[in-house]
C-alpha cells in the first residue's frame, strides 16, 4: 500500500509553519492515543502514521528533503511502519510537543501505552556513497563494507534486580490534585530491564563487539547529491533493544562531458562554421554510450537539440528526462593568410550578412520552450 503524503496525514498544506505542524500533530496524537482507543488497530496505525509524519516535518533538514523528493528523500518506505519504530520511540517525541518529558504525556493519559520497560535503540551509522551519472540515471545496487557494533556471541543477560525487569523506577507523589505516579529510567540497566550475566573476553562492557559486514544497498534512479537514504536496523545494535539505522548520504560524481539539470542532461556541442553552414552528421555522448545526430544546413549558434528519453529516470517514477544539446558554432582564433583572403572575399556576400527573421527565437525563448 502506497504511503500517504505526510501533509495530508496531519491535515496540513505544504506551506505549513513549524508551529502549525506541532499543533496538528498534538491534536492527532491525543485523538488516536492507544490509551484512548484500546484494542483499536486502526487508531494505532493512525497514531503511528501521524508520529512518522511529525518526525519528518518537524526536522528542517528532513522536511526540506521531503518537500523536494517525497518519501524517497527521507528513506523511501522506511520509517515507523517499516519495522524500525516502536511505541517508546514515538513517546520520546512528546517532550517537544507537549512541553515536558514523555512521562508528562503518559500521566495525562494514565500510563502511556501500558508502561513497561523502555525499548532502546542503537546509534545510527552514516556513510557517504559515490554514484556516477549512469548509476543516478538508472538506479543501481551497490555493496558496501560497514563496521558496526553487534551483540557478541555467547553474551547472556538476566533480569535487572533494581527494576525487576520493568526498566523504570516508579514513585507515587501526593499532590493537591491527588496521587500522581512519576517514572524514571532505571539507573542500573539504562531502561532495558536487563543486565549482563555472562560475556566472552572479546566483548566490551556492554556485551558488544565490532563486526564488519557487507550490506547491499538499492539506490533508486533519480537520486541527487546530498540526498539521504535509510536502511532500518543496519546501524549499531544495543543490548535489549533494536538496532539503529544505516544512513546513506549520496555523493554524485560529476560527468566529464554531460551536466545534470534536474532529470535532463545538457551537452555543449561545438561545431565548425563549415559544419553549421553545410550540415553534418556528428557523434555526441549520452549517458549510456554515443549516438550520431544530424546537423541541418544553416544551423545557428545557440540552437538546442533534444534527444528524447536520454536523460535521468524520475525519482518518483514520472517518466524520464531528455538530453539537451546546445549547439555552439566555433570561431577559429588564428587564420592563415590564405584563409583570411578567402573569408575577406566573402565579407560583402549577402549570404554572410546577419539577417535574423522574426521566426528566429532568442536564447531565453528557446530555454523557456524546453523547460
Amino acid at each position: 500500500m502506497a504511503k500517504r503524503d505526510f501533509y495530508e496525514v496531519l491535515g496540513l498544506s505544504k506551506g505549513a509553519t513549524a508551529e502549525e505542524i506541532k499543533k496538528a500533530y498534538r491534536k492527532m496524537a491525543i485523538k488516536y492515543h492507544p490509551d484512548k482507543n484500546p484494542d483499536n488497530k486502526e487508531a494505532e496505525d493512525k497514531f503511528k502514521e501521524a508520529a512518522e509524519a511529525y518526525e519528518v516535518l518537524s526536522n528542517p533538514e528532513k522536511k526540506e528533503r521531503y518537500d523536494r523528493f517525497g518519501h524517497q528523500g527521507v528513506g523511501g518506505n522506511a520509517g515507523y511502519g517499516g519495522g524500525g519504530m516502536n511505541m517508546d520511540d514515538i513517546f520520546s517525541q512528546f517532550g517537544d510537543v507537549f512541553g515536558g518529558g514523555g512521562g508528562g504525556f503518559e500521566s495525562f493519559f494514565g500510563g502511556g501505552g501500558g508502561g513497561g520497560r523502555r525499548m532502546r535503540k542503537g546509534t545510527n551509522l552514516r556513510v557517504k556513497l559515490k554514484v556516477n551519472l549512469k548509476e543516478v540515471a538508472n538506479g543501481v545496487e551497490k555493496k558496501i563494507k560497514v563496521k558496526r557494533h553487534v551483540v557478541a556471541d555467547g553474551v547472556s543477560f538476566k533480569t535487572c534486580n533494581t527494576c525487576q525487569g520493568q526498566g523504570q523506577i516508579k514513585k507515587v507523589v501526593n499532590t493537591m490534585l491527588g496521587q500522581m505516579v512519576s517514572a524514571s529510567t532505571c539507573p542500573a540497566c539504562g531502561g532495558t530491564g536487563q543486565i549482563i550475566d555472562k560475556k566472552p573476553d572479546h566483548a566490551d562492557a556492554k556485551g558488544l563487539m565490532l563486526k564488519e559486514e557487507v550490506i547491499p544497498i538499492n539506490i533508486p534512479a533519480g537520486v541527487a547529491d546530498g540526498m539521504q537514504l535509510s536502511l532500518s536496523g543496519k546501524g549499531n545494535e544495543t543490548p535489549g533493544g533494536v538496532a539503529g539505522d544505516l544512513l546513506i548520504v549520496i555523493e554524485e560524481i560529476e560527468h566529464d562531458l554531460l551536466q545534470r539539470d534536474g532529470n535532463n542532461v545538457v551537452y555543449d556541442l561545438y561545431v565548425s562554421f563549415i559544419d553549421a553552414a553545410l550540415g553534418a552528421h556528428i557523434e555526441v555522448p549520452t549517458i549510456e554510450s554515443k549516438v550520431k545526430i544530424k546537423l541541418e544546413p544553416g544551423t545557428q549558434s545557440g540552437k538546442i537539440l533534444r534527444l528524447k528519453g536520454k536523460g535521468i529516470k524520475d525519482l518518483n517514477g514520472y517518466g524520464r528526462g531528455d538530453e539537451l544539446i546546445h549547439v555552439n558554432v566555433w570561431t577559429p582564433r588564428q587564420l592563415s593568410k590564405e584563409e583570411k583572403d578567402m573569408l575577406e572575399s566573402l565579407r560583402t556576400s549577402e549570404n554572410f550578412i546577419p539577417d535574423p527573421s522574426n521566426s528566429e527565437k532568442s536564447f531565453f525563448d528557446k530555454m523557456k520552450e524546453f523547460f
Side-chain angles (χ1 to χ4, degrees):
M1 182 177 178
K3 184 175 289 189
R4 286 205 299 159
D5 178 76
F6 286 153
Y7 290 99
E8 179 187 341
V9 169
L10 297 180
L12 298 168
S13 61
K14 195 170 183 178
T17 65
E19 187 58 37
E20 289 171 337
I21 292 170
K22 183 185 292 187
K23 184 177 180 181
Y25 175 49
R26 185 188 298 119
K27 181 179 178 182
M28 296 285 287
I30 292 174
K31 182 177 180 180
Y32 294 112
H33 191 278
D35 286 348
K36 292 189 67 178
N37 302 271
D39 302 320
N40 187 331
K41 184 65 168 60
E42 183 181 355
E44 180 181 336
D45 290 342
K46 288 185 176 180
F47 182 70
K48 291 180 179 180
E49 186 181 41
E52 179 178 13
Y54 177 74
E55 194 273 336
V56 171
L57 298 183
S58 63
N59 183 304
E61 182 183 342
K62 291 183 179 180
K63 182 177 182 295
E64 192 273 336
R65 292 201 306 269
Y66 179 76
D67 289 344
R68 288 180 62 194
F69 306 112
H71 293 298
Q72 292 286 356
V74 288
N77 290 325
Y80 302 145
M85 179 62 185
N86 55 71
M87 297 298 275
D88 291 291
D89 290 328
I90 297 176
F91 291 139
S92 68
Q93 298 175 338
F94 293 159
D96 172 57
V97 179
F98 291 89
F105 186 75
E106 294 168 12
S107 299
F108 178 79
F109 284 103
R117 65 189 179 95
R118 175 189 171 202
M119 181 66 74
R120 293 199 302 175
K121 186 175 182 180
T123 56
N124 295 334
L125 291 175
R126 185 188 299 267
V127 297
K128 282 188 176 183
L129 185 62
K130 293 184 178 182
V131 289
N132 59 39
L133 189 59
K134 185 175 181 179
E135 292 167 339
V136 167
N138 303 310
V140 66
E141 182 180 288
K142 285 181 172 283
K143 294 181 179 180
I144 62 171
K145 286 185 178 180
V146 175
K147 288 185 178 180
R148 66 191 194 106
H149 285 101
V150 299
V151 177
D153 294 333
V155 173
S156 62
F157 299 88
K158 63 181 181 181
T159 302
C160 176
N161 294 325
T162 304
C163 66
Q164 303 303 314
Q166 293 300 306
Q168 293 180 335
I169 305 296
K170 294 185 178 181
K171 294 181 180 179
V172 179
V173 180
N174 293 317
T175 70
M176 293 177 61
L177 302 176
Q179 289 187 335
M180 295 189 68
V181 179
S182 65
S184 59
T185 301
C186 174
C189 65
T192 66
Q194 302 178 64
I195 57 175
I196 292 180
D197 184 23
K198 296 178 182 179
K199 70 178 184 70
D201 293 337
H202 61 272
D204 63 17
K206 296 181 180 179
L208 300 175
M209 59 174 286
L210 200 60
K211 181 180 179 182
E212 185 175 79
E213 292 186 25
V214 177
I215 300 176
I217 299 174
N218 183 37
I219 307 298
V223 294
D225 189 70
M227 182 182 291
Q228 182 172 281
L229 307 179
S230 176
L231 283 182
S232 179
K234 292 298 183 181
N236 290 318
E237 294 183 357
T238 186
V242 296
D245 301 331
L246 175 61
L247 307 178
I248 304 103
V249 180
I250 298 298
E251 188 173 329
E252 191 174 339
I253 303 172
E254 290 188 6
H255 194 277
D256 292 338
L257 301 172
L258 303 173
Q259 289 184 315
R260 181 178 182 181
D261 187 357
N263 290 337
N264 294 327
V265 293
V266 180
Y267 175 62
D268 273 314
L269 174 64
Y270 289 89
V271 299
S272 68
F273 168 75
I274 307 300
D275 286 340
L278 302 179
H281 287 85
I282 299 176
E283 191 174 68
V284 297
T286 66
I287 292 174
E288 301 293 339
S289 56
K290 293 182 179 180
V291 298
K292 273 196 172 182
I293 62 169
K294 182 181 180 182
L295 199 66
E296 297 291 342
T299 296
Q300 300 298 309
S301 186
K303 185 176 180 62
I304 298 174
L305 308 176
R306 181 193 293 266
L307 295 180
K308 193 75 174 175
K310 294 293 185 181
I312 296 168
K313 286 183 181 178
D314 185 79
L315 182 65
N316 296 309
Y318 300 123
R320 188 167 193 144
D322 305 326
E323 178 170 333
L324 307 178
I325 302 170
H326 183 207
V327 178
N328 302 274
V329 177
W330 181 261
T331 302
R333 292 192 174 96
Q334 292 183 331
L335 297 172
S336 66
K337 184 177 183 306
E338 292 77 7
E339 290 169 337
K340 288 180 180 179
D341 291 341
M342 290 174 61
L343 291 176
E344 192 63 46
S345 67
L346 297 172
R347 186 189 290 274
T348 56
S349 172
E350 290 187 4
N351 282 337
F352 285 80
I353 298 174
D355 184 25
S357 64
N358 292 331
S359 62
E360 292 288 341
K361 296 180 179 179
S362 69
F363 172 76
F364 292 105
D365 288 335
K366 293 173 186 177
M367 294 303 290
K368 284 192 291 184
E369 194 174 271
F370 278 104
F371 295 104

